[in-house]
Amino acid sequence: MVLLLSAIAVISCKKETVDTIECDTSGFTTSSIKYSTVVEPILSASCYSCHSNTVQRGGVNLQGYANAKTYADNDKLLGTIAHLSGFQAMPEGGSKLDQDKICKIKFWIENGTLNN
């Protein structure tokens, strides 16, 4: 019985991966989903009020390409905005970003997190 409960606890605490996020990116291209014209505006509108050069709640700064890339490369950006288990859901206390925005960020990450 203890073994069964332990197995259930491990399974229920398993961290979701960004690979579990389902997206239809058939209309996306690397020339249409750019950091400067798509990703940065999403981050600016949704994240910078708490995670910028001037405000760094939790020590997180997403402003600027280098900062965003750091969190994109370690899956924390995508995991938090998609509210995956094992990540702290952001925005804190709010609804997750709409799926289209999440998919655009995922596409940008999967295609090399380019500074374009």
Side-chain angles (χ1 to χ4, degrees):
M1 182 67 162
V2 172
L3 184 60
L4 176 62
L5 291 175
S6 296
I8 291 171
V10 168
I11 291 169
S12 65
C13 294
K14 185 178 181 199
K15 185 176 182 177
E16 289 179 284
T17 68
V18 296
D19 297 329
T20 62
I21 300 170
E22 294 186 24
C23 292
D24 177 9
T25 59
S26 57
F28 296 173
T29 66
T30 54
S31 60
S32 68
I33 306 298
K34 296 181 177 184
Y35 173 76
S36 62
T37 58
V38 176
V39 176
E40 195 280 332
I42 293 170
L43 297 177
S44 178
S46 305
C47 308
Y48 287 1
S49 63
C50 295
H51 304 291
S52 67
N53 291 334
T54 55
V55 179
Q56 297 177 19
R57 289 187 59 189
V60 175
N61 181 357
L62 294 173
Q63 189 171 355
Y65 169 76
N67 293 325
K69 182 173 177 14
T70 297
Y71 289 97
D73 287 347
N74 66 19
D75 291 341
K76 288 183 180 179
L77 176 61
L78 201 50
T80 59
I81 66 170
H83 292 193
L84 299 181
S85 63
F87 294 91
Q88 185 169 348
M90 292 287 155
E92 191 172 56
S95 300
K96 72 178 181 176
L97 297 181
D98 66 58
Q99 194 66 16
D100 182 61
K101 291 177 181 174
I102 292 169
C103 289
K104 286 175 179 174
I105 292 174
K106 183 178 184 193
F107 181 86
W108 171 70
I109 292 168
E110 289 177 341
N111 286 277
T113 57
L114 301 177
N115 186 9
N116 53 6

